[in-house]
Amino acid sequence: MTTGPKLRLDSSLAPGVLAVALFVIMATIVLNTGFSPEMEGFEGVDSITAEIGYAMFDLEALQSTEGSIPDTEAFLAAFLLIAVALDAALDASLVLAKREEEGEPVAALASRGTGSDGAGSAASGVAGSDRSAATDGGHEGSTVDADRADDPGGESR
Amino acid sequence: MTVPIEYYVLLSMALFCIGLFGILTRRNALMFLMSVELMLNAANINLIAFAFYHGNLTGQVFALFTMALAAAEVAVGLGIILVLYRNFRDVDVTVPTTMRW
């Protein structure tokens, strides 16, 4: 029995044809556009990264020095807007991750397990004895793994 | 000797079409998110390639902002997928139908 990739022709045929047709149309347009063969590039520029920084923070005095790239727009307002948008996205993801149990909001990062989880951890603690707990807390990962590799019995994960 | 601009544009178009195909065919919400990222990165390739073509840094700076916007979008998208899984025990985007027209 093979598990290799198969061509699904039932439901994804029409979107596939659509995507390929769109690519062919756009490629035809691009290949018929008269781009100049030479890229202008950034010849004689000291540091592109520094120039990006100057443009991002409106440092026009530094932009006009020797070896700089002229005509770069100032992006300080866009930078601040993106900062606000990232902050809003962080808040939104926290709001979305917050769950409610019987009308009570539970914090997104709460570590209080449910009843079944507690029972499971208690059972594994009994099965693995207190040796695993000591190695989990004190040693590095490699030594713990070596211990477990040597140990034929113990907990099964 | 540099690569001509047409090849960059063709690469970005191929990425865009792969992302579009993924959005049209996939039902897993995580695959949706990955397809949107492909389309955003196609736009980034265009911005950076044309910045180099014109010898102007505006496109490169704008690509940085696009990446930040993609990060914000992924944060919200993963939160939505989390809620989707919590409510429906599934990340199939065709299961929740109550907010459809």
Side-chain angles (χ1 to χ4, degrees), chain A residues 12 15-16 19 22-23 26-27 30 35-36 39-42 51-52 56 69 71 73 75 79 82 86 89 96-97 99, chain B residues 2 5 8-10 13-14 17 20-21 24-25 52-58 60-61 64-65 68 72 75 83 86:
Chain A
S12 56
L22 181 66
F23 176 74
M26 291 198 296
V30 166
F35 291 116
S36 84
M39 304 275 254
E40 212 162 294
F42 301 116
E51 295 296 321
I52 289 176
M56 203 183 280
I69 301 170
D71 300 333
E73 292 163 37
F75 277 100
F79 183 82
I82 288 288
L86 276 173
L96 284 170
R99 66 177 189 273
Chain B
T2 54
I5 186 76
Y8 290 103
V9 182
L10 284 179
M13 281 172 184
C17 290
L20 182 71
F21 177 71
L24 289 178
T25 56
F52 192 69
Y53 179 71
H54 291 295
N56 191 325
L57 264 186
T58 304
Q60 285 208 24
V61 182
L64 276 179
F65 292 133
V83 174
R86 199 177 288 152

Side-chain angles (χ1 to χ4, degrees), chain A residues 43-129:
Chain A
E43 302 269 338
V45 177
D46 290 341
S47 168
I48 295 176
T49 315
E51 295 296 321
I52 289 176
Y54 299 152
M56 203 183 280
F57 299 111
D58 283 10
L59 300 172
E60 288 170 13
L62 290 169
Q63 260 185 319
S64 57
T65 55
E66 188 74 21
S68 67
I69 301 170
D71 300 333
T72 308
E73 292 163 37
F75 277 100
L76 186 61
F79 183 82
L80 294 176
L81 279 177
I82 288 288
V84 172
L86 276 173
D87 198 9
L90 177 66
D91 293 343
S93 63
L94 280 179
V95 167
L96 284 170
K98 192 166 65 181
R99 66 177 189 273
E100 291 185 7
E101 286 177 0
E102 296 149 5
E104 285 285 307
V106 180
L109 298 177
S111 61
R112 189 162 46 95
T114 58
S116 61
D117 283 343
S121 64
S124 68
V126 169
S129 75

Side-chain angles (χ1 to χ4, degrees), chain A residues 81-94 96, chain B residues 19 23 28-44 64-82:
Chain A
L81 279 177
I82 288 288
V84 172
L86 276 173
D87 198 9
L90 177 66
D91 293 343
S93 63
L94 280 179
L96 284 170
Chain B
I23 282 186
N28 190 331
L30 284 171
M31 291 293 178
F32 249 62
L33 218 56
M34 289 162 73
S35 300
V36 173
E37 288 302 308
L38 276 184
M39 294 169 84
L40 275 171
N41 279 319
N44 272 349
L64 276 179
F65 292 133
T66 316
M67 281 191 255
L69 214 60
E73 175 243 323
V74 164
V76 177
L78 281 179
I80 290 174
I81 290 175
L82 202 68

